[in-house]
Amino acid sequence: MSLSLAQGFTKSLAMTVLSEIGDKTFFAAAILAMRHPRRLVLSGCLSALIVMTILSAVVGWAAPNLISRKWTHHVTTLLFLGFGLWSLWDAVKGEGEAEELAEVEAKLDADWKSNNGSTKEGAKADDDSKKQRRQILTQFFSPIFLKAFSITFFGEWGDKSQLATIGLAADENPFGVVLGGILGQALCTTAAVLGGKSLATQISEKIVALSGGVLFIVFGIQSFLSTVET
C-alpha cells in the first residue's frame, strides 16, 4: 500500500469513526434494528453509507480539476479547522446524546405507527401468488431495506462527515479515502445494529465530540503546514 493511499485510508477511517459514532444515523440504525430484521437494516444503512462515501469522494476528486489545487487545498484546510471548532463547541455546549436519541426515536415511532396500520390493511388484500412473485425482490428491496437506506442517505446528506469526506478526497488519495470511509461506516453501523439502543445510550457524546474536534484540527494544521512548506 503506497504512502498516499495509506494516509488517505487512515485519515478517512479515523474521521469516519469519530464522526459517525453517536450521530443521528447511528441512533436510527440502532432503533430500526430493534424493530426489524437486523440483516435488512444493516444492508440498507450500509448501502446508503457506501453510496454516500463514493459520491463524496468523487466530488472531492473532481474538485481540483474544476478549480486550482491550491484553492481546493485552502478550502480543505478551512473545512477541517471549522469542523474541529464546531465539534469542540458541541462538546463544550453539552447538548447530550439523550436529546438526539429522543428526537430520532420520536420520528421513527410516528413512522412505525403509521406504517403498521397501513401494513395490516394491505396484508389482507395480498394473495399467495403475489407473495411468491415478490419473494425474491422483497429480500433485497423490502420496505424495511428501503426505509433504512432512505433514512440513512438523507440523514447523511450535507452532514459534517460528508463534507469532510469531500475535503479529504480533494487532498488525499481518493481510493484510500473511500476504503477507509467504507470500513469506518461498516464498523459503526454494525456496532449500532448489533448493540442496539443499549449501546447507543452508553456512548459519551461529549468524549466523541472532543476526540473528533481534536482530530479535525490536527488534520487542518497538517494541511496548513503542507501549504506553507510548498
Side-chain angles (χ1 to χ4, degrees), residues 85-95 205-211:
L85 293 173
W86 181 3
S87 296
L88 292 177
W89 173 249
D90 283 344
V92 172
K93 198 167 51 172
E95 287 187 359
E205 185 75 9
K206 189 169 185 178
I207 292 175
V208 172
L210 282 170
S211 303

Side-chain angles (χ1 to χ4, degrees), residues 55-218:
L55 282 175
S56 302
V58 168
V59 172
W61 168 78
N65 298 317
L66 301 175
I67 57 178
S68 71
R69 181 165 289 277
K70 180 182 177 182
W71 280 106
T72 56
H73 191 77
H74 289 330
V75 170
T76 301
T77 302
L78 290 174
L79 270 177
F80 286 145
L81 292 173
F83 287 152
L85 293 173
W86 181 3
S87 296
L88 292 177
W89 173 249
D90 283 344
V92 172
K93 198 167 51 172
E95 287 187 359
E97 64 273 16
E99 290 82 358
E100 197 163 24
L101 177 60
E103 181 187 343
V104 173
E105 196 166 16
K107 286 181 182 177
L108 290 176
D109 274 338
D111 210 24
W112 167 262
K113 287 175 184 176
S114 61
N115 285 343
N116 235 15
S118 59
T119 302
K120 286 177 182 176
E121 292 174 8
K124 295 176 183 177
D126 280 336
D127 55 23
D128 291 337
S129 61
K130 284 184 179 179
K131 287 179 182 177
Q132 287 175 359
R133 285 199 304 269
R134 291 164 54 191
Q135 189 173 9
I136 297 175
L137 285 174
T138 53
Q139 290 295 316
F140 300 98
F141 299 103
S142 71
I144 298 166
F145 175 91
L146 294 175
K147 181 179 181 180
F149 183 96
S150 60
I151 287 173
T152 305
F153 187 85
F154 292 110
E156 284 294 307
W157 190 263
D159 191 55
K160 184 167 51 179
S161 58
Q162 187 208 10
L163 297 176
T165 301
I166 293 173
L168 201 58
D171 229 25
E172 301 290 346
N173 186 300
F175 189 58
V177 172
V178 169
L179 289 178
I182 289 175
L183 179 59
Q185 301 284 13
L187 290 173
C188 292
T189 308
T190 303
V193 169
L194 296 180
K197 188 179 173 182
S198 58
L199 174 64
T201 53
Q202 288 172 19
I203 292 170
S204 171
E205 185 75 9
K206 189 169 185 178
I207 292 175
V208 172
L210 282 170
S211 303
V214 170
L215 185 72
F216 276 126
I217 288 174
V218 168

Side-chain angles (χ1 to χ4, degrees), residues 33 70 219 226:
K70 180 182 177 182
F219 286 172
S226 67

Side-chain angles (χ1 to χ4, degrees), residues 26-36 101 104-105 108 192 196-197:
F26 182 91
F27 291 138
I31 295 168
L32 284 170
M34 294 169 62
R35 303 172 177 176
H36 304 292
L101 177 60
V104 173
E105 196 166 16
L108 290 176
K197 188 179 173 182

